[in-house]
Amino acid sequence: MFEVGFTEILLIFAIALLVLGPARLPKLAADVGRWAGRARAMARQLRTQLEQEVQYDPLKEQPSQTIHTPAPQTALAAVTAEPGTTAQATPDTAAAVPPATEPPAAPDRTDESRPG
């Protein structure tokens, strides 16, 4: 695509030497080398990342940690147990214990506009 041979590089170096002079040319060469190194590092990182994406298989990946949640019966028995005791929940006892919710409040039926 874009080929640069030895003669082209030598011509560019000679023009740069004439334009910039011998004092500024080493600094320019160091800057160009640093930029080229950064460009190569970014290209290498991109290539590595693309190779990892190509080889990635989500079906082969196993979850490293599983989240354990208590069973609903155990949580219900622990809430309804007496203070200072430990409760062992079984399906029979968990079903026999009603949920710990309050009934909805009854609407206020008093009408203060009528004398009582």
Side-chain angles (χ1 to χ4, degrees), residues 2-22 24-26 28-29 32:
F2 180 71
E3 297 181 23
V4 178
F6 181 72
T7 57
E8 287 89 3
I9 292 175
L10 191 61
L11 181 65
I12 292 171
F13 179 74
I15 293 173
L17 183 61
L18 289 173
V19 172
L20 297 174
R24 288 190 283 173
L25 189 61
L28 178 69
V32 169

Side-chain angles (χ1 to χ4, degrees), residues 41-113:
M42 286 193 301
R44 188 179 330 113
Q45 182 181 7
L46 178 65
R47 185 179 338 119
T48 304
Q49 190 173 7
L50 287 175
E51 287 174 359
Q52 287 175 354
E53 290 294 325
V54 166
Q55 294 174 357
Y56 176 70
D57 187 9
L59 298 177
K60 288 184 178 180
E61 184 177 300
Q62 297 294 326
S64 60
Q65 295 178 350
T66 56
I67 300 173
H68 298 286
T69 57
Q73 295 88 5
T74 306
L76 182 60
V79 169
T80 58
E82 293 291 324
T85 63
T86 58
Q88 297 294 325
T90 62
D92 298 333
T93 59
V97 177
T101 59
E102 296 182 19
D108 189 13
R109 302 232 183 239
T110 59
D111 188 7
E112 295 178 10
S113 63

